[in-house]
Amino acid sequence: MSVTNLETNLTSTIVSPINGDIAASLSNSTVDALVSQYGTPLMVLDCDVVRHQYRALQDALPNVELHYALKPLPHPAVVKTLLAEGAYFDLATNGEVDLVQSVGVPSERTIQTHPIKRDSDIQHALRYGCNVFVVDNANELEKFIPYKDQVELLLRVSFPNADVLADLSKKFGCKPEQALELINYAFELGIRIKGLSFHVGSQTRSGEKYSLAILRCNEIMKQVTDAGLPALSTLDIGGGFPVHYTPDVLPINVFCAPIRDALALLPETVRVIAEPGRFLVAPSVTNIAAVMGQAERNGQTWYYLDDGIYGSFSGLMFDEAKYQTKSLIQSDDVYSSVLAGPTCDSIDVITDNIMLPKLNNGDLVVSTMMGAYCSCTATDFNFFKKAEVIVVGEETMFASISA
Ligand SMILES: *Cc1c(COP(=O)(O)O)cnc(C)c1O
């Protein structure tokens, strides 16, 4: 992924409201200017939208420390923008450690939350200065025996969520009933467990999933003190906050109401953190692709774009997200059309029924809501190069922040 700072007067995009939320929306002249400068395909990242999303989630969850999970869009401009907003960071891999380190994020503002790590991964994070890690079983816990004087751990608890795009509790997390035993084992080993974490799954449909998990974690915390073990001081409520791929998604402030209610029942001494990924970045990126060629097949026009399922639209395979796609030229004369990607593989179809005006080769197609789990999972299969990421709305000066 290459990074380019736009040195023109296109400092920021127009932001349009959807249900009180926003998505980057580029004017036609901005799209034309970007394409004439950089060609296609492009992914245009608007840092103003990232800022807006961070503030909206912080307003919806006051007193919760937001750790941006880098996984959906590991881009330095996002990290810089969020650092200037006062965010913290959730890292899972050595590459993510290296990225935040290169941007100058103080290590105290980071946690390493991959539940399964190699010794070399633990050492890599420790060398940077990140000393909060996540475990969910005894085998993983024992990996920290050599580092017990340096680390503080969160125990990840699973709360299955069948109702979600990606149910992360299938792959990670101990059962709530196992938590006390693991915390006791850590105590015997002399390893400090400072709190609990969970992830209810990505693009979660209702805040009740979180509130149930928070209440169950509160019970575990009581069990821990009742057992005479050191009190847990941190609760990490994970990521999964939803964005408006479709109009039925709740505005974030409404979505978070049950979460706020459940958090209000925790002891005041508990520090609450969250790990939002998708919510902070999904609306911030717009894809611009060009028509390479076209054909009439079975009563529909097929348009072959220079970006597709193996590229920026990879989220359609891996993530089941919905993007909003339109042609740059607008007309009332529209026809059922197919948008296909450029590779020679037949699964490389973005949508098999979209109403579009007649397009010419070279015409542009614009898709919004493409910030999360798109660029990062793109490939250059068939040697079609990945879309270049262009950054707009970046501030030149970053407020200095203290760790
Ligand atoms: C992927 C992930 C996140 C971010 O999830 P979103 O659904 O994008 O908010 C947060 N924490 C962990 C541990 C993750 O694996």
Side-chain angles (χ1 to χ4, degrees):
M1 205 186 316
S2 65
V3 187
T4 317
N5 281 308
L6 201 57
E7 303 278 12
T8 67
N9 56 355
L10 306 166
T11 49
S12 187
T13 57
I14 300 157
V15 150
S16 68
I18 317 170
N19 273 3
D21 272 11
I22 58 163
S25 116
L26 304 167
S27 68
N28 286 9
S29 58
T30 304
V31 171
D32 284 333
L34 288 168
V35 169
S36 62
Q37 195 169 350
Y38 299 103
T40 57
L42 288 182
M43 292 288 260
V44 185
L45 161 60
D46 186 346
C47 296
D48 274 341
V49 177
V50 175
R51 259 176 230 119
H52 174 101
Q53 291 298 98
Y54 178 82
R55 291 172 192 176
L57 188 57
Q58 189 69 85
D59 285 349
L61 293 174
N63 307 320
V64 176
E65 286 178 4
L66 302 181
H67 290 60
Y68 171 54
L70 268 73
K71 184 176 51 168
L73 185 58
H75 195 288
V78 174
V79 174
K80 281 185 207 168
T81 299
L82 289 173
L83 182 62
E85 290 292 309
Y88 298 76
F89 297 90
D90 167 12
L91 315 172
T93 62
N94 295 345
E96 292 178 1
V97 169
D98 296 345
L99 173 49
V100 295
Q101 185 167 28
S102 73
V103 170
V105 174
S107 56
E108 304 79 20
R109 301 188 80 85
T110 65
I111 57 178
Q112 213 284 13
T113 64
H114 200 308
I116 305 293
K117 298 160 290 298
R118 292 159 292 206
D119 181 58
S120 57
D121 302 329
I122 297 170
Q123 289 192 25
H124 194 84
L126 283 174
R127 269 197 300 277
Y128 164 54
C130 172
N131 63 358
V132 178
F133 295 85
V134 168
V135 298
D136 68 2
N137 68 81
N139 179 288
E140 192 72 15
L141 188 56
E142 287 160 2
K143 292 178 187 171
F144 287 93
I145 294 172
Y147 312 108
K148 64 181 177 199
D149 298 328
Q150 300 166 61
V151 300
E152 298 182 305
L153 305 185
L154 300 173
L155 179 67
R156 178 146 165 192
V157 184
S158 75
F159 296 99
N161 185 357
D163 193 29
V164 84
L165 284 184
D167 182 4
L168 293 165
S169 282
K170 248 190 245 166
K171 186 165 172 181
F172 299 117
C174 70
K175 291 203 163 65
E177 308 84 74
Q178 300 170 319
L180 185 61
E181 193 186 324
L182 282 164
I183 293 167
N184 191 46
Y185 182 45
F187 185 71
E188 284 168 15
L189 293 174
I191 301 170
R192 175 149 186 253
I193 302 272
K194 78 161 177 178
L196 303 175
S197 78
F198 60 80
H199 194 302
V200 291
S202 209
Q203 187 70 10
T204 295
R205 281 183 238 285
S206 104
E208 265 87 33
K209 299 282 178 201
Y210 296 79
S211 55
L212 291 173
I214 291 164
L215 297 181
R216 188 70 179 89
C217 286
N218 197 18
E219 285 171 17
I220 296 170
M221 291 182 173
K222 284 202 192 96
Q223 281 182 321
V224 168
T225 39
D226 289 351
L229 294 164
L232 301 181
S233 61
T234 301
L235 179 62
D236 178 350
I237 64 171
F241 305 95
V243 292
H244 281 108
Y245 294 124
T246 50
D248 56 317
V249 176
L250 294 176
I252 195 63
N253 196 42
V254 177
F255 178 89
C256 287
I259 305 178
R260 289 192 296 270
D261 291 346
L263 292 178
L265 302 174
L266 294 178
E268 268 175 26
T269 47
V270 175
R271 169 183 175 233
V272 182
I273 69 179
E275 305 168 352
R278 183 192 307 275
F279 184 84
L280 298 183
V281 293
S284 70
V285 175
T286 304
N287 175 273
I288 308 170
V291 175
M292 304 197 320
Q294 51 187 287
E296 294 299 323
R297 304 191 197 281
N298 301 320
Q300 284 180 301
T301 309
W302 283 60
Y303 294 107
Y304 298 82
L305 303 180
D306 54 8
D307 203 346
I309 290 281
Y310 286 96
S312 307
F313 292 84
S314 57
L316 293 172
M317 289 291 276
F318 296 124
D319 189 38
E320 302 171 63
K322 303 268 181 299
Y323 313 118
Q324 284 133 30
T325 298
K326 63 180 175 62
S327 60
L328 196 60
I329 53 161
Q330 294 292 303
S331 157
D332 291 335
D333 251 350
V334 290
Y335 307 88
S336 171
S337 311
V338 177
L339 287 180
T343 69
C344 299
D345 187 348
S346 60
I347 69 158
D348 190 3
V349 172
I350 297 166
T351 171
D352 58 9
N353 185 11
I354 178 173
M355 299 305 287
L356 290 174
K358 283 285 171 218
L359 301 180
N360 293 313
N361 296 344
D363 281 354
L364 300 174
V365 169
V366 175
S367 303
T368 54
M369 301 295 287
M370 290 192 58
Y373 306 107
C374 291
S375 284
C376 57
T377 44
T379 72
D380 57 1
F381 174 52
N382 237 188
F383 287 113
F384 284 102
K385 75 175 177 60
K386 290 188 230 179
E388 190 173 356
V389 178
I390 306 294
V391 179
V392 299
E394 219 179 354
E395 271 167 9
T396 43
M397 298 290 289
F398 294 105
S400 64
I401 54 151
S402 52

